[in-house]
Amino acid sequence: MAKTNLIVGLDVGSAKLTAVAAAQDENTNTLQVIAGRSVPCRGIRGGLVTDIHETSAAVTALLGGLERECNQAVSRLFVGVRGAHIESFFSHGTYNISNPDKEITLQDMDLAVENAKAIPIKNDNTIISVFPQSFSVDKQRGIHNPEGMSGSLLEVDVQIITGASSHLSNLAKAIQRPGFQIERTFYGLVPLGEGVLLQDEKENGAVLIDLGGETISVGVYVGGMLRFSCDIPYGCDMLTSDLSSYLSTSRKAAKEIKEKFGVVHPGFLKKDQEISVPSLSGSDTRFIKSVEVLDCIQPRMEELLEQVERVLNMGGFKPKEHRLVGVMTGSSSIIPGMTELCREIVGFQSVRRGSVQRDLINAADEFFAPQYATALSVIVHAFESAGYDTLSDSYRDEDSVFFKLGKAFKGMFK
């Protein structure tokens, strides 16, 4: 296998980094996952870099470990980001067709999108992604692909996703410092939606909820497109904090208890189960009933899901009125009772736990676990949107902070 054939998706999580490495099967033109791993990162909080040195060390441990496991260097690195600093909004662009035959070309479509991007954004923000929602030709609306059509006026509605330049710069520096090159960055919720949601769900109306440790990402899909997104600056690490305080035990012990015995809905409670709880010093142990864990974490999870309902209402997407379905992912989505509690609190028609569709990529079962969902979706999205074997410089946004910093840092830390 050629050493230049390794593609890696990096998910910058709330307080950890997760990556999946895959290679292209040239005979079938598909991706085969080779390895994946996740490491804690004390230099990241809520998707934002708080310590470049700590983050660089975690990147080195994570990607260096993947390189050793795959026995080849990371040649293409795609990054999924998140955080409350990310914003999305819509814009409208127009372009007058100048061709003598009035036939619309791909270049005309690109120029219409560029005009839609020419709007003021916050001084400290930079554009991460631009997604055409639909085109219009001479006021005829609802056109998905106008290439080859005839007309005089081309219009486009786009969704623009931006992020804070300073935060993205710090992340880029932390990744570039050990010598890794970023090929492209995505708002993690976008590839996740493509990988996890079924096409019928995206058409009929679905809400994707990614339960992170310190953030919860929410995306609404209607008519096959992402129509609304928001990152809530709270996450499921609050369940661990509550348990640690309530049980007077360490966060490590509380996390283990949450993962092994935690439930968030009474219907999943094993009432006779006893749980050993070590003291903060670790010198003593006491026993509690599993109902105490439920009583501690269920109210907090209800609060978090009420925040999901609130942002959906603010975005104009009330689940009960729009008959939306919910799809949950992220490590905490596997807590027993989570989908049931979400349906009751938020008011979805139905809720399911989401994982990356298996027909999109070849991988062992372990890589379809929730913790790998975003990283896996990032490489699938990058591969399908450009074709891994044909990715070129034109695929990279030379105006992006990642591309500019990549050039500045190239070779500096080798």
Side-chain angles (χ1 to χ4, degrees):
M1 185 180 296
K3 289 189 176 183
T4 58
N5 201 30
L6 191 66
I7 178 174
V8 173
L10 173 63
D11 173 23
V12 181
S14 297
K16 66 178 181 179
L17 300 174
T18 302
V20 171
Q24 182 188 13
D25 185 330
E26 295 181 357
N27 294 324
T28 61
N29 197 35
T30 58
L31 286 176
Q32 175 67 51
V33 173
I34 304 173
R37 59 177 57 195
S38 181
V39 299
C41 181
R42 293 183 296 179
I44 291 179
R45 289 293 177 267
L48 304 178
V49 175
T50 58
D51 188 318
I52 287 180
H53 301 286
E54 287 279 0
T55 304
S56 290
V59 168
T60 301
L62 177 63
L63 299 185
L66 283 180
E67 288 183 327
R68 289 189 294 273
E69 188 172 350
C70 299
N71 195 31
Q72 54 185 296
V74 173
S75 57
R76 295 288 175 95
L77 177 61
F78 297 89
V79 180
V81 298
R82 68 184 72 197
H85 68 100
I86 294 177
E87 299 178 354
S88 67
F89 51 91
F90 294 90
S91 181
H92 184 78
T94 62
Y95 182 72
N96 292 310
I97 306 302
S98 58
N99 305 327
D101 58 5
K102 297 297 182 182
E103 183 173 311
I104 298 171
T105 65
L106 286 174
Q107 184 180 13
D108 297 326
M109 294 164 61
D110 288 342
L111 289 170
V113 171
E114 285 298 315
N115 289 337
K117 290 168 57 179
I119 60 173
I121 60 176
K122 293 180 180 178
N123 289 335
D124 187 44
N125 277 21
T126 187
I127 293 177
I128 298 176
S129 304
V130 178
F131 299 99
Q133 300 283 303
S134 65
F135 290 87
S136 299
V137 177
D138 292 342
K139 302 301 181 181
Q140 178 187 344
R141 298 182 176 276
I143 298 174
H144 293 294
N145 183 6
E147 183 188 8
M149 296 179 67
S150 296
S152 298
L153 179 64
L154 179 64
E155 299 176 82
V156 63
D157 292 308
V158 302
Q159 182 187 37
I160 298 175
I161 297 177
T162 67
S165 300
S166 57
H167 295 313
L168 297 175
S169 295
N170 290 333
L171 177 61
K173 289 178 181 178
I175 295 174
Q176 307 279 4
R177 178 168 288 204
F180 297 102
Q181 291 295 109
I182 298 171
E183 184 74 21
R184 192 175 178 187
T185 180
F186 302 103
Y187 173 34
L189 195 67
V190 172
L192 185 62
E194 295 299 315
V196 169
L197 296 179
L198 304 176
Q199 187 60 37
D200 283 346
E201 290 174 333
K202 289 187 287 187
E203 290 288 346
N204 297 330
V207 177
L208 178 62
I209 305 171
D210 184 21
L211 298 175
E214 295 182 0
T215 60
I216 297 177
S217 300
V218 181
V220 180
Y221 285 79
V222 179
M225 303 293 291
L226 178 65
R227 304 294 184 179
F228 172 80
S229 64
C230 179
D231 273 33
I232 300 170
Y234 313 104
C236 294
D237 280 355
M238 296 180 75
L239 307 183
T240 303
S241 297
D242 289 349
L243 273 176
S244 176
S245 177
Y246 176 74
L247 299 176
S248 297
T249 191
S250 66
R251 284 185 59 86
K252 179 181 178 181
K255 185 174 184 291
E256 292 174 353
I257 291 172
K258 180 188 74 173
E259 293 175 348
K260 189 174 182 180
F261 302 103
V263 296
V264 294
H265 192 283
F268 293 80
L269 182 65
K270 297 179 180 179
K271 296 183 179 179
D272 297 330
Q273 197 169 35
E274 283 197 337
I275 303 169
S276 62
V277 181
S279 64
L280 281 170
S281 64
S283 58
D284 300 313
T285 300
R286 64 188 180 92
F287 291 88
I288 63 168
K289 295 290 187 180
S290 55
V291 67
E292 293 187 57
V293 177
L294 170 69
D295 290 342
C296 178
I297 67 176
Q298 181 185 352
R300 179 67 73 183
M301 197 63 233
E302 289 178 351
E303 289 182 3
L304 293 175
L305 291 173
E306 286 168 357
Q307 290 294 314
V308 172
E309 181 186 20
R310 183 183 66 83
V311 300
L312 289 174
N313 290 340
M314 289 176 58
F317 296 96
K318 296 182 179 180
K320 294 178 182 177
E321 294 181 4
H322 290 80
R323 298 181 63 79
L324 300 172
V325 300
V327 179
M328 308 187 79
T329 187
S331 298
S332 293
S333 67
I334 64 174
I335 297 177
M338 187 65 79
T339 57
E340 288 74 12
L341 187 66
C342 181
R343 180 177 56 80
E344 294 175 5
I345 298 297
V346 185
F348 290 117
Q349 189 176 21
S350 63
V351 181
R352 71 173 178 89
R353 187 175 295 112
S355 59
V356 176
Q357 300 169 59
R358 290 177 178 264
D359 60 341
L360 297 178
I361 193 167
N362 296 320
D365 288 345
E366 63 182 293
F367 297 114
F368 290 97
Q371 73 183 87
Y372 291 115
T374 298
L376 199 61
S377 296
V378 163
I379 57 174
V380 171
H381 185 72
F383 179 77
E384 291 191 340
S385 62
Y388 178 57
D389 56 338
T390 59
L391 285 176
S392 64
D393 286 341
S394 62
Y395 182 63
R396 286 174 274 185
D397 182 359
E398 296 193 13
D399 291 327
S400 74
V401 65
F402 287 90
F403 185 84
K404 292 176 180 177
L405 281 168
K407 293 176 69 177
F409 277 84
K410 187 175 182 180
M412 187 178 297
F413 296 99
K414 292 182 178 181

